[in-house]
């Protein structure tokens, strides 16, 4: 029986699998904004998302187009709305590809979003074997009320205040069944964390991080495998993530993720 599914599927073209992941990314970001008190989100007629989560991180306040040919006019309209909503908070424009259309660049420049950064979209098909594999006893799902634990681990791992993480991943958001924060525990202490967002039969893997003193022990791999297995049991057929550096790309390639395309983010810093 062929258990390969979208992400690296022989029955689904690479372009179609990548397009499906891009749409799931938009849906997942909208789901987070919909769950967060005080956030604003809308999807414009041609599919561009504005998800303003009032976060201190521009990537979490995005104008996001899942299209291979983003609608520059739609992005310009949403950029004006984002500027009105910002109240000094950073926001971004996120599009597919390494080359950003001139019209979108003009909109970004108008709003002082002059810094371009790039991440690699990677996908992986989930298999029947993953749906029945034994789950790791050292990984556990956090309840919404434990949002501060997630914030502390992610904050310490990335070198940012825990409050910045908890601005978005608060108790309401982590109380949503499809937004799942996990920790990996070593001798009873949480030393790694990550989040899985389920949408459109896809799972987004994000913020996988290990505390500095516990790195290079396989914790991130074990945690990611666990999240993939839970997603497969929940009916997801593919996983995706964005990786920004060589160590992360190598880690996720070792877990079966395949590089698909580059995404570009335009922000003020």
């Amino acid at each position: 029986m062929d258990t390969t599914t979208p992400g690296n599927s022989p029955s689904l073209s690479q372009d179609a699998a990548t397009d499906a992941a891009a749409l799931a990314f938009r849906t997942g970001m909208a789901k987070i904004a919909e769950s967060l008190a005080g956030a604003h989100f809308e999807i414009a007629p041609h599919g561009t998302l504005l998800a303003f989560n009032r976060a201190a991180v521009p990537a979490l306040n995005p104008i996001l187009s899942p299209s291979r040919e983003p609608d520059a006019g739609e992005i310009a309209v949403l950029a004006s709305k984002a500027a009105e909503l910002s109240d000094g908070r950073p926001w971004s424009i996120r599009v597919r590809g390494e080359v950003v259309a001139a019209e979108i660049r003009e909109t970004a420049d108008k709003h002082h979003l002059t810094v371009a950064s790039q991440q690699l979209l990677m996908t992986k098909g989930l298999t029947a074997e993953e749906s029945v594999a034994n789950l790791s006893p050292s990984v556990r799902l956090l309840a919404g009320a434990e949002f501060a634990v997630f914030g502390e681990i992610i904050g310490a791992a990335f070198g940012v205040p825990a409050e910045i993480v908890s601005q978005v991943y608060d108790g309401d958001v982590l109380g949503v069944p499809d937004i799942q924060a996990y920790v990996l525990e070593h001798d009873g202490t949480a030393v790694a964390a990550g989040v899985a967002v389920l949408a459109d039969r896809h799972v987004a893997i994000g913020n996988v991080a290990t505390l500095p003193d516990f790195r290079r022990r396989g914790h991130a791999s074990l945690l990611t495998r666990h999240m993939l297995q839970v997603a497969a049991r929940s009916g997801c057929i593919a996983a995706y993530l964005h990786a920004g550096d060589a160590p992360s790309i190598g880690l996720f390639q070792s877990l079966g993720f395949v590089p698909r395309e580059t995404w570009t983010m335009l922000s003020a810093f």
Side-chain angles (χ1 to χ4, degrees), residues 6-9 14 17-18 120-124 258-262:
N8 332 312
S9 172
Q14 177 176 323
T18 306
L120 189 64
L121 174 71
M122 306 179 72
T123 69
K124 169 182 164 39
V258 178
R260 293 303 189 194
E261 67 180 13
T262 298

Side-chain angles (χ1 to χ4, degrees), residues 98 100-110 113-114 116 264 266:
E98 298 183 39
V100 179
E103 297 89 342
I104 297 174
R105 283 278 188 181
E106 289 175 7
T107 294
D109 289 346
K110 176 182 176 182
L113 309 181
T114 56
T264 298
L266 302 173

Side-chain angles (χ1 to χ4, degrees), residues 8 22 30 37 39 48 59 72 88 92 100 116 138 146 156-158 169 175 182 201 218 228 241 261:
N8 332 312
T48 309
S92 62
V100 179
S138 63
E146 297 179 283
F158 286 111
Y169 295 107
Y182 292 88
R201 301 186 71 197
L228 294 173
L241 54 84
E261 67 180 13

Side-chain angles (χ1 to χ4, degrees), residues 10-31:
S11 61
L12 188 67
S13 73
Q14 177 176 323
D15 285 351
T18 306
D19 290 344
L23 287 169
F25 179 38
R26 182 192 65 185
T27 304
M29 290 297 292
K31 188 171 292 190

